[in-house]
Amino acid sequence: MTMREPSWWYGSSSGLGQAQALAPFGWAYGQIARRRMQSLPRYRSAIPVVCVGNFTAGGTGKTPFVAVICDVLRSQGHTPVILSRGYGGTLPGPHWVDAHSDTATRVGDEPLLLARYAPVVISRDRVQGARAIAAAHASLPRATVIVMDDGIQNPALAKNLTIAVVDASRGTGNGRCIPAGPLRAPLAAQLPLVDAILLNQGSDAAAAPAASTLALVAAVSCPVLSALVAPAAGLEWLQAASVVAYAGIGVPQRFFATAAACGARLREQVSFPDHHAFTDADAQRLLALAHSTGSLLLTTEKDLVRIDAGQSRALAALRAATRPLPITLRLDPASLLALEALLRARVPVGTTPASRT
C-alpha cells in the first residue's frame, strides 16, 4: 500500500497542530530507531559496501545518484553490484533481478530501473543479500564493490562509505520523526553514520534551499556535494509539446518542473502516492485526459516500469501511449572530484577487507 506524505512535514503552518499531536509517537519511533542504529554490525562483507541513503522518508533523488556512483566506480576499475531491499516487491530474496522477465510487482520499481545501470540483487535481509553477491557463481557478475541502495538506518551490514542524499528544497522538514515529521530517526543519531552528504538541488540551480538544509550544512563537518537534476540527451521532441504529466514518486513537483524546463507545455499535472500501483481506473482517466486535451502522456522512468502491460488492456494502452522523461544527476566539477576521491579512498581497487561475522 502506498501513502501520501503530509505536506505539513515540510513546513506548512496549517499542520503545526498535527505535528504536535503526533510528537509523542514520533519521539517513541525515534528512540526505537536510535537504539537499533546503535547495534554493532553483524556482518562485514569481504566486498566493500558503499551505502546511499537518506535521512527522511520519501524521495530525495537517491536512485539516479546510485547510477552516478556505479558509473564512477566502473571508471575506477570496479565491477559494482547493487543491493536493494526491493521495496514494493513481493519477493523476499535474495534474488538477482532480470530486467527482461521480472516485474515491479515482483522486485520493486527501483531495482527494476537500477538494473539498467548495473546488476541488482534484492534482499529484505541485507546480510543475506551481501552473502549472495559474494557467492555468485561463474555465470553471474563477480562484484568488486556492493552499492547498497538505502540502509543508513540498517546496522546489520557494515559499510565502507555512507552518503546521504538530501532534497535541498525540503531538507529535513520540521525536524521530527515519523509520523510527526519525515525523519527516519533523530538527525543527531544519523549524522555520525554518514561520511558525506549530497544536496539534490532539483532542476533550478538558483532555487533557494530550505532553512533546514542550510542548518544541516552548517552543522556537519563531512564533505557536502551538490548536484542538479538534468534531462537526458535527445529530448528535442519534448520542446513545446502539449503533455499530460503524471508521477507517483516522492516529489512529483520535481518531475513536473523538469518537464517544464525541457520546454513541455503541461496541460495537466497528475500526482499519485510514491510507488503507486496503477489501476485500470488510473489508466482510463489518464488516457481520457490526453485525448480531451490533444496531449502526449509523460511520466518518469520509475513510474513507467510499474505499469504492467500484461495485467489488462487499459494498462497496456496506458504504457503504449506514455513516454518517459529520462533524467540524470549532474554533479558540479568540485563535487564530482570529491566523490571520486572518497570512492578511491574507501574502496580502492584490488584491496578488500577480510570477511568476518
Side-chain angles (χ1 to χ4, degrees), residues 13-311:
S13 58
S14 63
L16 184 59
Q18 291 99 312
Q20 290 176 336
L22 291 170
F25 300 98
W27 179 86
Y29 182 99
Q31 293 309 301
I32 294 170
R34 184 198 297 272
R35 285 195 294 270
R36 179 170 178 261
M37 289 162 55
Q38 289 172 342
S39 303
L40 294 175
R42 59 185 173 91
Y43 180 72
R44 181 177 293 276
S45 173
I47 304 171
V49 176
V50 175
C51 175
V52 179
N54 44 22
F55 299 130
T56 59
T60 59
K62 179 169 51 65
T63 301
F65 187 48
V66 169
V68 169
I69 285 180
C70 288
D71 284 342
V72 173
L73 286 168
R74 275 190 289 265
S75 75
Q76 295 180 347
H78 278 291
T79 301
V81 171
I82 298 168
L83 173 61
S84 171
R85 181 181 180 276
Y87 181 82
T90 57
L91 294 182
H95 170 76
W96 289 81
V97 174
D98 186 327
H100 301 290
S101 61
D102 278 325
T103 64
T105 302
R106 283 166 49 85
V107 301
D109 52 6
E110 291 170 354
L112 202 56
L113 181 58
L114 286 169
R116 303 177 184 182
Y117 304 102
V120 178
V121 169
I122 60 165
S123 182
R124 292 177 188 171
D125 183 321
R126 301 304 183 86
V127 169
Q128 292 303 315
R131 291 182 186 274
I133 292 171
H137 53 75
S139 65
L140 294 170
R142 300 294 298 180
T144 63
V145 60
I146 295 169
V147 181
M148 186 175 174
D149 178 25
D150 209 0
I152 290 176
Q153 300 79 18
N154 186 331
L157 181 62
K159 295 103 173 171
N160 296 71
L161 175 67
T162 300
I163 304 176
V165 183
V166 175
D167 180 340
S169 68
R170 308 201 306 167
T172 55
N174 62 11
R176 299 177 186 268
C177 291
I178 299 168
L183 287 174
R184 296 180 170 188
L187 192 58
Q190 298 193 71
L191 285 177
L193 303 178
V194 304
D195 303 295
I197 292 171
L198 175 78
L199 296 183
N200 179 358
Q201 300 188 71
S203 57
D204 184 1
S212 60
T213 301
L214 296 175
L216 174 66
V217 172
V220 300
S221 57
C222 65
V224 178
L225 317 180
S226 180
L228 286 170
V229 173
L235 293 176
E236 293 78 13
W237 58 269
L238 197 51
Q239 283 283 343
S242 174
V243 303
V244 170
Y246 66 97
I249 57 175
V251 190
Q253 292 74 22
R254 189 191 298 135
F255 164 66
F256 300 142
T258 302
C262 290
R265 294 185 295 114
L266 275 64
R267 300 294 300 275
E268 297 283 351
Q269 301 175 34
V270 184
S271 299
F272 296 94
D274 197 11
H275 301 285
H276 178 68
F278 291 97
T279 65
D280 283 3
D282 296 329
Q284 292 160 3
R285 174 192 174 197
L286 292 167
L287 289 165
L289 280 174
H291 178 75
S292 65
T293 59
S295 302
L296 298 173
L297 284 166
L298 185 73
T299 194
T300 71
E301 291 183 297
K302 191 161 75 168
D303 283 292
L304 194 62
V305 299
R306 282 203 311 280
I307 302 173
D308 188 348
Q311 286 190 342

Side-chain angles (χ1 to χ4, degrees), residues 50 69 72-73 76 161 338-348:
V50 175
I69 285 180
V72 173
L73 286 168
Q76 295 180 347
L161 175 67
L339 176 62
E340 291 171 343
L342 280 168
L343 292 171
R344 278 195 299 268
R346 297 299 184 94
V347 286

